């Protein structure tokens, strides 16, 4: 008899990022779909990795991560967010931000727990909740600003609500949390024993002089949070899959119990290299300016098309409505753009559990100017 398994994720397909990147490759299209840069990372950082390998940093790193790197991250958090983090028991290195979020949810969730998330949402959150036999409670944010309605959040709390997932800057919308949001959140957690998972992988990609409202800034929020980061989007190395989680010691102890029997520890030479690279603050402080320029360049070229921009205050992404061009469903439209016009994007319905389609596409602008110009030119033919 052939063995079979009962799927834990019966309604989950292959991620849209994989689907659209494969389609882009098949049609040799410009890939503004999956979020990754098409320009090289800093050779100084790749040299530091080679140097670490040559120095012999080639065996297991500690389970929690290379300590000088965790120390450098604690210093960075103190400098940027006035946070006081003990690198020994509050920071754990992970193979990417997605893994950090998964591990946090797996450490905290019991079957039947409810987790509030906002849609459109990064696509891993919901399956992470479901695989733990917990229940996603979805709140839909409305375009164009995708602000959180905190009254609605209060209305969705029950005795089973265990956690809330936040993502600022948000993928796919580019929305960011404001001071007012933080105020609301602080009053909410004063009344309800909520845990928070804060996905801050785009922490350095906040534009127009606005402030990144990291939960690390607020001790009362941090004491109930798993705050997740990734180096992929900071150092233009999404393929390195290296990130980290920050949490108070009692929560981090549970996180590590799960982590130690999953990946155990992360790639050593890149941890050594990043620890050294972080000594220069420009390594991350210059990023917002660079990406804001790209957002603005792309927007200027897209002005010659019939796409309508939605606001983007952060992240790698800007959403555009194509209502003036077509009333095709967004998936079909995105596939047609890739195939016939040579530009891949991500249909926003992929970020909704019910595939809500508002005729919006997400474009990644972390690309060379020539790539962005060519893409906009192709789209102006529509
Ligand atoms: N969260 C969000 C919102 C993302 O867009 C991404 C993709 N960069 C991640 C988490 C995960 O990053 P990583 O590749 O480090 O897993
Ligand atoms: N974060 C990237 C995006 O939103 C993709 C990550 C992935 O492919 N899993 O495009």
């Amino acid at each position: 008899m052939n063995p079979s398994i009962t799927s834990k994720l019966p309604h989950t397909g292959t991620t849209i990022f994989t689907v659209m990147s494969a389609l882009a490759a098949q049609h040799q299209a410009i890939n503004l779909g999956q979020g990754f840069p098409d320009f090289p990372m800093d050779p100084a950082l790749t040299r530091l990795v080679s140097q670490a390998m040559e120095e012999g940093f080639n065996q297991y790193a500690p389970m929690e991560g290379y300590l000088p790197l965790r120390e450098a991250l604690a210093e960075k958090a103190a400098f940027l967010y006035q946070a006081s983090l003990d690198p020994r028991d509050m920071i754990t290195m992970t193979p990417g931000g997605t893994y950090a979020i998964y591990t946090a949810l797996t450490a905290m969730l019991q079957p039947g727990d409810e987790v509030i998330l906002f849609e459109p949402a990064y696509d891993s959150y919901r399956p992470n909740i479901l695989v733990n036999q917990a229940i996603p409670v979805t709140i839909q944010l409305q375009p164009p600003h995708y602000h959180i309605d905190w009254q609605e959040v209060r209305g969705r709390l029950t005795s089973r609500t265990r956690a809330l997932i936040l993502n600022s800057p948000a993928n796919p919308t580019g929305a960011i949390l404001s001071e007012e949001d933080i105020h609301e959140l602080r009053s909410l957690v004063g009344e309800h024993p909520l845990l928070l998972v804060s996905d801050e992988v785009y922490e350095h990609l906040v534009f127009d002089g606005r402030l990144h409202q990291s939960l690390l800034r607020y001790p009362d929020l941090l004491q109930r949070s798993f705050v997740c980061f990734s180096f992929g989007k900071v150092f233009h190395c999404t393929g390195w899959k290296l990130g980290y989680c920050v949490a108070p010691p009692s929560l981090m102890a549970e996180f590590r119990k799960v982590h130690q029997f999953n990946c155990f520890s992360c790639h050593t030479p890149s941890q050594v290299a990043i620890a050294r690279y972080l000594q220069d603050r420009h390594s991350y402080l210059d990023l917002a300016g660079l990406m804001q320029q790209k957002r603005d360049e792309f927007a200027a070229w897209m002005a010659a098309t019939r796409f309508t921009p939605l606001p983007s205050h952060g992240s790698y992404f800007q959403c555009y409505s194509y209502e003036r061009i077509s009333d095709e469903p967004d998936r079909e439209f995105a596939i047609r753009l890739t195939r016939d016009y040579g530009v891949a994007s991500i249909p926003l319905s992929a970020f909704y559990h019910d595939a809500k389609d508002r005729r919006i596409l997400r474009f990644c602008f972390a690309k060379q100017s020539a790539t962005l110009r060519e893409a906009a030119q192709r789209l102006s033919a529509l």
Side-chain angles (χ1 to χ4, degrees):
M1 262 208 339
N2 286 331
S4 66
I5 57 175
T6 304
S7 176
K8 289 193 169 174
L9 297 170
H11 307 296
T12 303
T14 304
T15 89
I16 189 70
F17 308 117
T18 301
V19 171
M20 292 310 294
S21 280
L23 201 68
Q26 184 190 337
H27 295 285
Q28 288 157 8
I30 297 174
N31 191 353
L32 304 190
Q34 195 176 22
F36 62 89
D38 74 340
F39 45 87
M41 58 181 296
D42 185 352
L45 181 50
T46 49
R47 273 199 297 275
L48 284 170
V49 179
S50 305
Q51 190 187 320
M53 288 178 169
E54 280 155 23
E55 286 173 19
F57 287 99
N58 298 305
Q59 307 311 327
Y60 288 127
M63 179 271 277
E64 307 86 346
Y66 179 59
L67 185 57
L69 174 55
R70 289 184 285 139
E71 287 168 344
L73 293 170
E75 270 170 36
K76 174 170 165 280
F79 166 66
L80 287 175
Y81 308 126
Q82 299 76 52
S84 172
L85 306 182
D86 183 339
R88 290 185 180 272
D89 55 15
M90 293 180 70
I91 303 179
T92 300
M93 306 310 302
T94 61
T98 312
Y99 173 103
I101 296 159
Y102 175 81
T103 305
L105 290 166
T106 301
M108 74 167 72
L109 291 177
Q110 301 293 337
D113 281 351
E114 293 178 3
V115 181
I116 295 180
L117 74 162
F118 301 101
E119 284 187 342
Y122 182 55
D123 67 344
S124 74
Y125 303 157
R126 190 181 173 85
N128 284 183
I129 296 165
L130 291 171
V131 88
N132 282 295
Q133 295 177 280
I135 300 163
V137 174
T138 308
I139 293 179
Q140 300 216 339
L141 306 179
Q142 302 305 323
H145 295 293
Y146 298 102
H147 287 155
I148 296 173
D149 175 346
W150 290 99
Q151 264 320 102
E152 188 173 359
V153 177
R154 282 172 193 277
R156 301 296 289 279
L157 292 174
T158 73
S159 57
R160 291 184 305 276
T161 311
R162 187 81 187 113
L164 182 78
I165 303 181
L166 294 161
N167 174 213
S168 178
N171 179 2
T173 62
I176 58 175
L177 287 177
S178 66
E179 213 176 326
E180 182 58 27
D181 288 317
I182 296 290
H183 176 75
E184 294 280 356
L185 183 61
R186 294 176 94 171
S187 94
L188 192 74
V189 301
E191 298 157 24
H192 197 286
L194 268 184
L195 290 166
L196 303 172
V197 175
S198 184
D199 178 349
E200 302 188 12
V201 304
Y202 298 105
E203 67 175 321
H204 298 300
L205 298 169
V206 176
F207 310 138
D208 309 315
R210 292 172 194 238
L211 201 65
H212 173 51
Q213 290 290 356
S214 176
L215 298 202
L216 300 186
R217 290 183 191 277
Y218 304 96
D220 55 332
L221 295 179
L222 177 57
Q223 69 167 11
R224 57 182 70 244
S225 297
F226 292 93
V227 190
C228 302
F229 299 93
S230 168
F231 294 116
K233 306 286 159 95
V234 183
F235 297 136
H236 313 307
C237 56
T238 60
W240 284 22
K241 293 300 294 188
L242 195 62
Y244 59 104
C245 181
V246 177
S250 59
L251 298 184
M252 186 49 85
E254 292 302 318
F255 181 99
R256 287 178 179 171
K257 285 186 197 172
V258 177
H259 164 70
Q260 69 184 342
F261 296 120
N262 194 0
C263 101
F264 175 68
S265 73
C266 302
H267 191 249
T268 306
S270 26
Q271 292 189 61
V272 175
I274 292 174
R276 294 170 179 173
Y277 192 66
L278 277 174
Q279 302 310 317
D280 178 0
R281 287 181 178 153
H282 289 286
S283 62
Y284 52 87
L285 290 180
D286 295 347
L287 200 63
L290 172 80
M291 287 299 165
Q292 182 176 325
Q293 201 181 332
K294 291 193 174 297
R295 178 200 63 178
D296 294 344
E297 259 179 6
F298 186 53
W301 287 315
M302 286 292 280
T305 71
R306 291 195 294 149
F307 286 87
T308 312
L310 277 72
S312 166
H313 300 298
S315 82
Y316 261 2
F317 308 112
Q318 181 140 22
C319 292
Y320 282 84
S321 158
Y322 61 88
E323 254 171 1
R324 290 198 292 157
I325 301 172
S326 165
D327 59 4
E328 278 165 273
D330 66 356
R331 250 174 205 262
E332 281 172 32
F333 187 65
I335 290 170
R336 187 161 74 82
L337 284 195
T338 311
R339 196 187 53 217
D340 298 348
Y341 292 83
V343 180
S345 58
I346 303 288
L348 228 67
S349 60
F351 300 92
Y352 292 86
H353 74 284
D354 58 358
K356 184 172 293 307
D357 183 357
R358 294 179 177 270
R359 312 293 193 257
I360 294 172
L361 300 179
R362 186 198 83 174
F363 293 92
C364 172
F365 53 73
K367 306 289 172 184
Q368 298 175 56
S369 298
T371 313
L372 296 174
R373 193 186 318 116
E374 173 63 24
Q377 205 158 26
R378 292 182 187 187
L379 295 174
S380 66
L382 275 148

